[in-house]
Amino acid sequence: MSELSEEKLKKALLKKALGYETKEQVCEYSIGENGEAVLSKKKVTKKQMSPDMSALKLLLERFYAEIEPEKMTDEELEKERTRLLQLLKEEEENANRESEQSNQV
């Protein structure tokens, strides 16, 4: 597997393992006077996706084999959780910035 696809897989697993918020957009169109489709309704809802333990397990086994959660103290687990949440937050902020920049162009 290439380095790029490994990194994409790691980011996707991290996001799914920790849970994330997503936006769902539903658009309804009607036929306008000139026969073309015209946007009549647009509904955007936010959804909170729960953390996925299977994704977390796969992430730890594949990319963090040196970390053995069963041998970690509660304090170490909490630090790792905080670190991973911060990493995910940074990734989301970067993605939002890139999305805003592409929308402005």
Side-chain angles (χ1 to χ4, degrees):
M1 196 179 273
S2 75
E3 181 108 3
L4 182 61
S5 57
E6 285 263 335
E7 192 61 31
K8 280 185 173 182
L9 176 62
K10 187 176 179 180
K11 286 179 183 180
L13 281 171
L14 178 62
K15 185 175 181 179
K16 186 149 177 77
L18 296 175
Y20 58 98
E21 188 175 277
T22 184
K23 291 181 183 177
E24 187 175 87
Q25 182 173 307
V26 177
C27 298
E28 290 184 22
Y29 294 88
S30 60
I31 304 298
E33 293 177 8
N34 57 1
E36 292 184 18
V38 178
L39 180 64
S40 59
K41 278 188 191 177
K42 182 177 179 181
K43 181 180 178 182
V44 179
T45 49
K46 290 182 181 179
K47 289 179 126 180
Q48 183 64 41
M49 306 305 288
S50 300
D52 185 316
M53 288 297 131
S54 297
L56 178 59
K57 183 178 178 185
L58 182 59
L59 179 70
L60 290 173
E61 289 173 354
R62 177 131 171 110
F63 296 102
Y64 300 99
E66 71 279 0
I67 298 174
E68 298 181 38
E70 63 277 355
K71 294 181 181 177
M72 294 173 78
T73 66
D74 288 345
E75 185 177 294
E76 291 171 329
L77 286 169
E78 187 60 37
K79 283 182 183 177
E80 184 64 14
R81 178 181 176 273
T82 303
R83 185 186 73 78
L84 291 173
L85 285 171
Q86 181 62 35
L87 181 62
L88 182 60
K89 182 179 178 184
E90 290 170 5
E91 289 294 326
E92 285 181 23
E93 288 171 356
N94 288 340
N96 288 340
R97 243 186 319 249
E98 290 173 6
S99 176
E100 288 173 3
Q101 289 174 352
S102 65
N103 288 338
Q104 291 176 356
V105 173

